[in-house]
Amino acid sequence: MITDVSTVSPMLERAVAGGEHRAPRPYDYALLLATFALMGLGVVMVYSSSAAIAETRFKDPAYFLTRHLIYLAGSVVSLIVGMSVCYKRYQQYVYWLLGGSIVLMMLVLVPGVGVTIGRSTRWFRVLWFTFQPSELVKVTFIMYLSYSLAKKSAEKIKTFSIGFLPHVLVCGIIVFLCLFQPDFGTSLILALMLFSLLFIAGTKVSYLVLAFFVAIPFVIRAITSSTMRYNRVLAFLDPWAMRWTHGFQTVASLTAVGSGHWTGLGLGNGRQKLGHIPTPQTDFIFPIIGEELGFFGVCLVIGLFALILWRGIAIAYRCKDEFGRYLAFGLTMLISAQALIHMGVAMNLLPTKGLTLPFVSFGGSSLMLSAFTVGVLLNISKYNENPIPSDLLTQIKQKDKKFRRPRKTKVTRKTESERSPA
Amino acid sequence: MISKQSIAPRERNRKKPAVITPEQNERAVRIRIVIAVGVIALLYAGWLSRAFQLQILDHARLLREAEANYLKSIVFDTRRGDLLDRNGVVLAKSISADTVIANPRLVKDRERTAKLLSEMLTLPLESLLSRLNSRRYYVYIKRQVTSIEARRVRRAKLPGIFIKQESKRYYPERDLASQILGIVGVDSKGLEGVELEFNAPLLGEVQRVKVIRDWRNKTSLTDETVSTERLSGRNVVLAIDAKIQRYVEQQLKEAVLNSRATSGMAVVLDPNSGELLAVANYPSFNPNSFTRFDRNWWRNRALTDVYEPGSTFKILTLAAALETKSVTLNDIIDTEGGRMRIGRYVIHDTHPSDRFSVLDCMKHSSNICMAKVADRIGKKAFFDFIKRFGVGSVPGTRFPGETAGMVLPLKKWGQIHLANIAFGQGIATSAVQLAQIVAVIANGGFLVKPVLAKRILDADGHVVQRLDGVQRKRVISETTAALVKRAMVAVMQPGGTGQELKFEYYDVAGKTGTSQKKNPDGPGYSEDLWIGSMTGFAPVDKPRIVVAVVIDEPLDKHYGSVVAGPAFRAITEWTLRYLGVPPTRQKPFSVVKLQKPERDRSYVPRVRPRPRVAPRRPLELIAQNGPADLSKVIVPDFGGLSMDSVRKLASRRGLDIEYVDHGFSTQQSIAPYTRVAKGSRIRVVFKLEDK
């Protein structure tokens, strides 16, 4: 019998409730399966795509693989954390989370603190790994938006000053910080998340259209202010004309994907990863998949992401409370948007933009945050089956105030009425 | 399962009262979620169709583009094949040699590097500096250096200076058969001789392999394989026997030096198969360092140069006469006391007599007799026989520059020509052609095609191509051959011109020859330039070898039996014993050792440039030591050239020629090898040869 839903974690719950009171496992296993499938593919593809350059650069073909496996272990932990922590708690601490990640974003910009790779300063050094706060801010921003939108009534959301402007301002602050790093990709993702969440929450479409047109000059300014971005847009428009200059990565990517045919050249047989394509283990892992696994491999990847989209949206759709619904929707959109942009860049449907493919690409922050995202979605899915008692938040609050672990006495305090029968 | 309504209204109820009911709002949110998801799903579908377009529809084009970027082809140099003698002795092989190269862009201190290199490799400093100062990425410093030089360069560890391996031709037997083998240029390309003729099979097939390169242009992967057996070129097996060749060369050298001749040639031919067991020329050269030798020494003169065979040609005349039944061996010919006048010319005999039988004609080598015999054959029939014996057509050894010999066209034959040709003047053959003619007698009437290269083998020794099939055609009857053989045996018997040559083990048939050389300075024959020759075959009963020895311009004595005879004898007997031919005599003659003449040690033989042939390389080479003056040119030697050749030669140098008369050039107003301004006018007098 399930007696306690106020506990922090299901594991704890199980420990408290004893063996005979096992909760049914209501997690969305299809989502979990799709995630693990992509992660598994990621391990193989990271190794396949990085072995050659790792060998030449670090004299160790498994350089990226070993790190990827460590990150993967970390991401499994973060997935479990996401699964375990009741999503309502993010609602509780949403300003701390958002504020904290914004502070981290600012800290990166402090000279000497941030780590510069290439032309961008986006990372912290944590022990011997690097951490990218902009990955974190994507998630906390969605949490903030979900909270803020869930809090407001449908009428308020439709207003400009309460329902629209504050969210745009918060987004603007983060985007501003992002552009300092510079990190145009994250800015774009944040803007997309803002728009999609505002849209489903019921903001007037006219505001969104207006905001879109207001944003255009800024986007153009952002593109023209950087020669790299400008050249990338030019290369996007006609990569073959610039194949020896700025279009080289697009051309390499297109030819890689195109070489695949139905079944691809076979695992490990890719040629573009021999340095012809830049960062084949992160921003350009999709072309390697297309080259080595062919159209079937591409179908598999898109299919798995579509599965995640479907399960994520199903979780959002079924969620009983608004915060959870917005959160599940936002996180699903986050994964989908990143996947779409990554693949779109590889197939020259979008200008070159350094974004990882969630679950697959090499990169600790991206991998862990993506896994955490899925964990949160799974957590939400759990409560779709087991409704959250109305006083859960108060209970959590009380508990946190006491800074105490829940006791057996607390557990047994539950009344029968709060449990929902199937 | 939970019903939707069970908790949602409860939660909504706690919010402020709204115009839009929570249920309505929830439904609206869900509809918008579906719309948003629809957009995303459409995008996924769009992405998938884009992937289909790229991977399936545009596959061919994109794959081509991709391969153009990362595929490159690597050429595998083959090792040049070996040249082997008939027993597999390696006569030429390719070894790897160190070559010093430089990447001038990596050289740090050019001055210092050039200075050090010029000391280490003994190269001029200026040319080194100019090479190091070039803007290229790859320049040769010195190719195929010695191991000592290479070690010096390696030790110096100069930045930008590298040593790479190149293939170098190596001739382990040094000057053995060098004119047959020929020479190979620094780029492994055959330039002369067999090396030139069989350049293609020796080089083998160049293998190209498509490899995948990485972005630094380093080769990474390939699915193609390189056939290791094709990495090395074909080997060519020659018909010559290195041991015989060595012995023949030694004997020839002795003969040339003893008679203080300018040069000599010797040929050993198997009359049955046509295989050339030895083709020797003296002076010879060492092909390992061919540049140090006179260009004229590189020629395989026994195959490429003609000479007037003299009395040895009487073999052919006699064969023709007997075959046409113009004479028998016993016919008596009036030799007119050793002096016969034909028109303006007088023919002499060395052994004057009033009359000779035809057999004695051969024995004493009577010119007058042979002229009369030829007269009996008739011009047309004799000319046809000369042609049938292969004079005027190339022997077919495939040797580059192989000569066909020279025969005057029949319509130009006068009485004097017929008489001259009967004893081998006014006609020219190569030494190999002479051996070929003798072989007809030796093998019973067949003209065999001489074989220089027997077969082409692949690296594993499998025969790729056979070149040694016996090709022969009957030119005279067996009876005629036997009769001529009898005459040739008589030559070696007491009273014959070859009587002094005592053969220890074998019966030998032979013929001596002493021919006059054309006067190099004017018309007619020279009084003191001779060619002494001796040819024959042995053993008489079942001939195994034909030997021809030709000594050019002997200084002291010029009779064939004296200058060429000893070498002929030594070669014949040694070769037969080497071949294991059973001696025909049980008890050797008591040998009177020919007294070894005192040799002039300071004497250096020289090879005359090939007559009547334009120099193959521009003569400016002669002036390479002096400062280059492009406005001046060197006057070529026009001597003996046709008008057309003179015109070509002159126009190449920008000289103006005044043509006087016609025919072949005899005089030029400016001496050869003098430097004159470009456009100078030279008067060249031509004259027709036959007067």
Side-chain angles (χ1 to χ4, degrees):
Chain A
M1 274 189 85
I2 307 159
T3 52
D4 182 18
V5 275
S6 70
T7 44
V8 176
S9 87
M11 279 193 291
L12 224 82
E13 174 191 40
R14 224 176 302 139
V16 167
E20 74 272 26
H21 301 304
R22 290 181 80 91
R25 309 302 302 276
Y27 298 117
D28 195 318
Y29 289 111
L31 177 62
L32 197 61
L33 197 77
T35 308
F36 281 147
L38 282 171
M39 282 176 167
L41 182 72
V43 173
V44 175
M45 293 316 298
V46 162
Y47 186 44
S48 171
S49 60
S50 70
I53 54 168
E55 169 66 41
T56 48
R57 209 179 300 161
F58 302 107
K59 301 270 169 267
D60 172 18
Y63 180 87
F64 289 106
L65 177 70
T66 46
R67 274 155 188 77
H68 190 71
L69 288 173
I70 293 166
Y71 296 151
L72 211 61
S75 65
V76 170
V77 171
S78 70
L79 192 141
I80 290 167
V81 169
M83 270 169 79
S84 313
V85 176
C86 177
Y87 70 93
K88 280 288 182 184
R89 305 203 69 174
Y90 309 128
Q91 194 173 358
Q92 198 69 40
Y93 299 107
V94 68
Y95 288 113
W96 288 104
L97 291 169
L98 183 67
S101 46
I102 289 177
V103 168
L104 286 176
M105 291 282 284
M106 291 197 273
L107 267 178
V108 166
L109 297 174
V110 175
V113 180
V115 175
T116 306
I117 297 174
R119 288 182 214 152
S120 314
T121 312
R122 297 178 191 169
W123 294 268
F124 280 124
R125 190 164 293 284
V126 183
L127 298 176
W128 49 88
F129 296 110
T130 52
F131 174 73
Q132 191 178 354
S134 58
E135 293 286 345
L136 179 68
V137 87
K138 289 174 196 168
V139 177
T140 55
F141 178 65
I142 289 167
M143 285 172 176
Y144 156 75
L145 268 182
S146 309
Y147 164 76
S148 179
L149 292 169
K151 190 172 74 172
K152 295 178 176 69
S153 67
E155 288 76 21
K156 285 228 172 106
I157 286 169
K158 285 200 188 304
T159 60
F160 183 78
S161 56
I162 298 170
F164 183 69
L165 198 58
H167 307 124
V168 175
L169 283 178
V170 171
C171 182
I173 290 166
I174 305 170
V175 165
F176 186 71
L177 287 172
C178 277
L179 290 178
F180 262 102
Q181 292 186 351
D183 191 345
F184 195 59
T186 302
S187 315
L188 199 73
I189 293 280
L190 289 172
L192 280 174
M193 292 304 106
L194 176 73
F195 272 60
S196 54
L197 273 165
L198 285 179
F199 170 72
I200 65 147
T203 306
K204 279 186 181 167
V205 178
S206 56
Y207 293 157
L208 296 178
V209 173
L210 182 78
F212 179 74
F213 281 111
V214 169
I216 284 176
F218 289 101
V219 173
I220 290 174
R221 172 89 184 96
I223 288 169
T224 50
S225 69
S226 148
T227 35
M228 185 189 73
R229 273 178 219 145
Y230 184 63
N231 284 328
R232 280 180 171 180
V233 171
L234 288 183
F236 161 67
L237 296 173
D238 190 357
W240 298 99
M242 304 178 81
R243 63 180 305 184
W244 307 119
T245 53
H246 309 290
F248 84 95
Q249 28 192 9
T250 309
V251 167
S253 176
L254 280 175
T255 53
V257 174
S259 304
H261 210 53
W262 288 106
T263 51
L265 300 172
L267 256 183
N269 283 344
R271 281 82 192 266
Q272 301 285 357
K273 64 192 182 189
L274 301 170
H276 302 294
I277 215 163
T279 59
Q281 75 280 20
T282 58
D283 296 348
F284 282 94
I285 200 165
F286 183 75
I288 307 298
I289 296 173
E291 188 184 21
E292 297 194 348
L293 303 179
F295 186 63
F296 292 138
V298 170
C299 283
L300 177 72
V301 172
I302 292 182
L304 288 172
F305 277 109
L307 183 62
I308 289 175
L309 173 73
W310 173 43
R311 293 320 303 162
I313 293 304
I315 289 163
Y317 196 89
R318 286 215 306 259
C319 189
K320 308 282 187 311
D321 82 309
E322 274 180 292
F323 173 71
R325 186 177 304 140
Y326 292 142
L327 187 60
F329 174 80
L331 294 179
T332 311
M333 288 302 268
L334 178 64
I335 294 169
S336 302
Q338 296 203 93
L340 279 170
I341 292 175
H342 178 96
M343 294 190 285
V345 166
M347 298 188 289
N348 200 36
L349 292 163
L350 297 169
T352 305
K353 194 63 256 133
L355 268 185
T356 55
L357 187 61
F359 312 117
V360 181
S361 284
F362 175 80
S365 311
S366 151
L367 204 59
M368 283 189 187
L369 265 303
S370 302
F372 178 70
T373 303
V374 172
V376 174
L377 283 174
L378 291 170
N379 185 269
I380 297 169
S381 79
K382 185 180 100 173
Y383 291 108
N384 284 346
E385 304 300 327
N386 306 295
I388 301 164
S390 51
D391 62 340
L392 179 71
L393 279 181
T394 18
Q395 282 172 29
I396 289 170
K397 218 177 271 177
Q398 283 168 0
K399 194 168 67 215
D400 285 353
K401 267 178 190 159
K402 287 175 194 162
F403 290 107
R404 267 197 347 226
R405 294 262 159 175
R407 293 254 159 84
K408 213 169 194 175
T409 50
K410 259 187 189 174
V411 171
T412 50
R413 213 182 53 201
K414 283 269 118 232
T415 54
E416 205 63 29
S417 65
E418 279 168 312
R419 267 176 35 242
S420 118
Chain B
M1 293 310 286
I2 316 153
S3 58
K4 274 178 196 166
Q5 289 77 17
S6 61
I7 55 158
R10 201 167 3 156
E11 284 190 10
R12 292 288 170 275
N13 287 342
R14 293 198 300 199
K15 299 231 155 74
K16 282 181 182 176
V19 179
I20 304 163
T21 61
E23 289 81 9
Q24 280 176 322
N25 184 42
E26 202 176 309
R27 201 178 308 124
V29 167
R30 282 186 173 145
I31 288 166
R32 285 193 289 265
I33 286 178
V34 170
I35 292 170
V37 168
V39 171
I40 300 292
L42 276 178
L43 287 176
Y44 273 130
W47 264 223
L48 203 61
S49 55
R50 170 71 168 170
F52 184 80
Q53 185 214 339
L54 290 176
Q55 300 194 279
I56 311 301
L57 304 179
D58 284 352
H59 168 72
R61 184 177 66 87
L62 289 171
L63 185 66
R64 197 169 57 242
E65 291 283 355
E67 287 184 341
N69 185 34
Y70 60 68
L71 281 188
K72 69 170 181 180
S73 76
I74 286 188
V75 177
F76 278 82
D77 284 336
T78 47
R79 196 185 67 88
R80 193 178 171 89
D82 297 343
L83 293 177
L84 310 166
D85 90 332
R86 62 187 302 122
N87 300 319
V89 175
V90 177
L91 299 177
K93 66 196 283 189
S94 280
I95 55 172
S96 74
D98 294 319
T99 280
V100 183
I101 56 166
N103 180 350
R105 294 184 183 231
L106 293 181
V107 174
K108 290 265 160 56
D109 186 346
R110 296 212 164 90
E111 300 273 337
R112 187 176 153 269
T113 306
K115 200 155 165 285
L116 282 172
L117 282 177
S118 82
E119 282 165 14
M120 287 188 283
L121 304 170
T122 56
L123 290 171
L125 187 64
E126 302 84 60
S127 77
L128 261 176
L129 256 180
S130 74
R131 260 182 261 181
L132 290 181
N133 282 328
S134 73
R135 294 177 54 76
R136 289 183 292 167
Y137 293 93
Y138 188 102
V139 290
Y140 284 110
I141 298 297
K142 191 173 183 185
R143 299 184 77 167
Q144 299 176 2
V145 297
T146 64
S147 57
I148 298 165
E149 288 174 325
R151 191 164 45 202
R152 274 189 213 144
V153 173
R154 270 199 199 96
R155 283 208 183 137
K157 285 191 181 132
L158 296 163
I161 306 294
F162 308 98
I163 288 180
K164 76 160 197 173
Q165 299 295 305
E166 266 194 335
S167 176
K168 186 192 180 190
R169 205 61 169 159
Y170 174 61
Y171 301 87
E173 303 290 333
R174 295 154 64 83
D175 57 352
L176 183 79
S178 52
Q179 284 103 341
I180 300 172
L181 304 179
I183 54 180
V184 171
V186 80
D187 287 313
S188 228
K189 192 170 172 249
L191 301 176
E192 299 264 358
V194 174
E195 298 272 28
L196 171 61
E197 176 59 31
F198 295 99
N199 192 44
L202 283 169
L203 277 180
E205 299 158 59
V206 171
Q207 295 189 79
R208 277 167 207 281
V209 171
K210 286 260 169 97
V211 297
I212 298 160
R213 61 173 195 90
D214 72 4
W215 86 109
R216 296 170 308 171
N217 210 15
K218 291 206 170 156
T219 308
S220 297
L221 310 153
T222 181
D223 289 336
E224 291 182 53
T225 51
V226 182
S227 153
T228 44
E229 69 177 32
R230 273 162 54 200
L231 274 178
S232 140
R234 312 270 194 238
N235 300 331
V236 175
V237 179
L238 302 178
I240 65 161
D241 185 311
K243 289 211 171 112
I244 299 175
Q245 176 79 20
R246 174 68 75 198
Y247 187 80
V248 170
E249 284 184 8
Q250 278 168 4
Q251 290 304 315
L252 181 66
K253 181 182 176 187
E254 288 283 321
V256 169
L257 293 180
N258 285 341
S259 58
R260 294 205 284 164
T262 56
S263 63
M265 309 178 272
V267 176
V268 178
L269 177 78
D270 182 331
N272 304 307
S273 66
E275 286 172 10
L276 287 159
L277 300 176
V279 179
N281 296 275
Y282 186 84
S284 188
F285 72 103
N286 184 348
N288 290 318
S289 50
F290 62 89
T291 48
R292 291 195 211 147
F293 292 85
D294 188 326
R295 196 170 290 267
N296 286 307
W297 294 16
W298 301 353
R299 274 196 335 265
N300 191 356
R301 299 178 296 275
L303 271 160
T304 62
D305 287 14
V306 293
Y307 77 106
E308 291 177 58
S311 302
T312 50
F313 199 73
K314 288 172 185 165
I315 297 166
L316 193 152
T317 312
L318 182 64
L322 292 170
E323 181 73 8
T324 55
K325 304 214 163 37
S326 310
V327 291
T328 66
L329 281 183
N330 299 324
D331 284 5
I332 303 296
I333 308 286
D334 178 8
T335 53
E336 306 189 6
R339 244 180 96 85
M340 185 173 78
R341 176 172 285 275
I342 297 177
R344 294 186 289 136
Y345 305 95
V346 178
I347 297 170
H348 299 269
D349 268 352
T350 323
H351 304 282
S353 168
D354 285 335
R355 58 181 64 81
F356 274 139
S357 70
V358 173
L359 187 72
D360 286 344
C361 281
M362 278 295 275
K363 207 169 168 178
H364 301 291
S365 199
S366 163
N367 294 341
I368 295 165
C369 173
M370 275 302 154
K372 289 193 167 176
V373 166
D375 194 43
R376 289 200 195 174
I377 303 168
K379 280 182 200 168
K380 174 78 177 71
F382 189 35
F383 179 80
D384 288 345
F385 261 96
I386 291 170
K387 286 284 188 192
R388 275 166 76 179
F389 272 77
V391 183
S393 49
V394 289
T397 57
R398 286 181 65 180
F399 192 85
E402 184 184 38
T403 183
M406 292 164 91
V407 197
L408 200 66
L410 183 61
K411 60 181 180 207
K412 290 192 176 178
W413 279 29
Q415 203 57 36
I416 180 65
H417 296 120
L418 179 64
N420 269 351
I421 290 168
F423 54 87
Q425 301 280 165
I427 191 156
T429 67
S430 67
V432 166
Q433 277 180 314
L434 180 71
Q436 217 184 343
I437 291 163
V438 176
V440 173
I441 312 303
N443 63 27
F446 295 99
L447 185 75
V448 292
K449 190 182 95 170
V451 174
L452 192 60
K454 275 169 77 80
R455 45 186 168 262
I456 298 174
L457 306 178
D458 69 10
D460 294 336
H462 302 299
V463 177
V464 178
Q465 193 187 348
R466 293 190 75 94
L467 307 160
D468 60 348
V470 179
Q471 284 184 35
R472 57 180 206 174
K473 60 170 192 248
R474 181 167 282 285
V475 289
I476 52 169
S477 70
E478 212 170 337
T479 329
T480 310
L483 289 173
V484 180
K485 189 193 279 187
R486 218 181 103 200
M488 286 174 73
V489 169
V491 171
M492 310 305 288
Q493 280 163 354
T497 51
Q499 62 173 332
E500 290 134 87
L501 299 169
K502 301 285 188 266
F503 286 84
E504 291 182 55
Y505 303 105
Y506 301 98
D507 290 331
V508 176
K511 182 75 192 80
T512 59
T514 310
S515 44
Q516 280 178 287
K517 281 195 88 172
K518 185 189 167 294
N519 191 344
D521 308 316
Y525 286 98
S526 163
E527 290 299 315
D528 44 28
L529 293 182
W530 302 86
I531 292 175
S533 59
M534 173 97 204
T535 183
F537 54 86
V540 171
D541 295 338
K542 223 178 160 194
R544 289 285 303 274
I545 53 166
V546 168
V547 179
V549 179
V550 181
I551 306 296
D552 194 14
E553 297 181 21
L555 208 57
D556 306 323
K557 291 169 183 164
H558 56 259
Y559 290 118
S561 57
V562 179
V563 294
F568 173 80
R569 188 189 62 148
I571 290 167
T572 307
E573 292 218 303
W574 186 90
T575 304
L576 287 175
R577 278 159 67 193
Y578 169 78
L579 291 175
V581 177
T584 43
R585 290 176 190 157
Q586 291 300 317
K587 201 173 141 220
F589 265 70
S590 54
V591 183
V592 184
K593 275 255 171 179
L594 284 173
Q595 203 189 340
K596 213 171 187 180
E598 200 62 26
R599 190 194 290 173
D600 181 357
R601 292 282 165 193
S602 66
Y603 178 72
V604 180
R606 68 199 159 86
V607 184
R608 279 195 188 272
R610 194 200 308 239
R612 267 213 206 160
V613 174
R616 289 164 66 181
R617 310 271 160 143
L619 284 162
E620 273 86 346
L621 280 174
I622 295 164
Q624 68 187 356
N625 298 327
D629 185 355
L630 291 175
S631 66
K632 295 229 168 170
V633 289
I634 290 168
V635 177
D637 185 354
F638 293 125
L641 297 182
S642 68
M643 296 181 89
D644 197 44
S645 305
V646 170
R647 184 183 55 76
K648 278 183 193 156
L649 213 55
S651 69
R652 208 181 299 157
R653 284 170 177 70
L655 291 169
D656 206 7
I657 299 292
E658 187 189 334
Y659 299 89
V660 178
D661 217 337
H662 62 282
F664 296 102
S665 74
T666 51
Q667 286 173 36
Q668 57 190 102
S669 61
I670 302 174
Y673 311 122
T674 41
R675 302 171 143 272
V676 294
K678 230 173 192 174
S680 299
R681 194 169 179 83
I682 301 173
R683 195 180 136 96
V684 181
V685 181
F686 295 85
K687 238 179 207 151
L688 270 176
E689 276 289 284
D690 52 331
K691 38 217 159 249

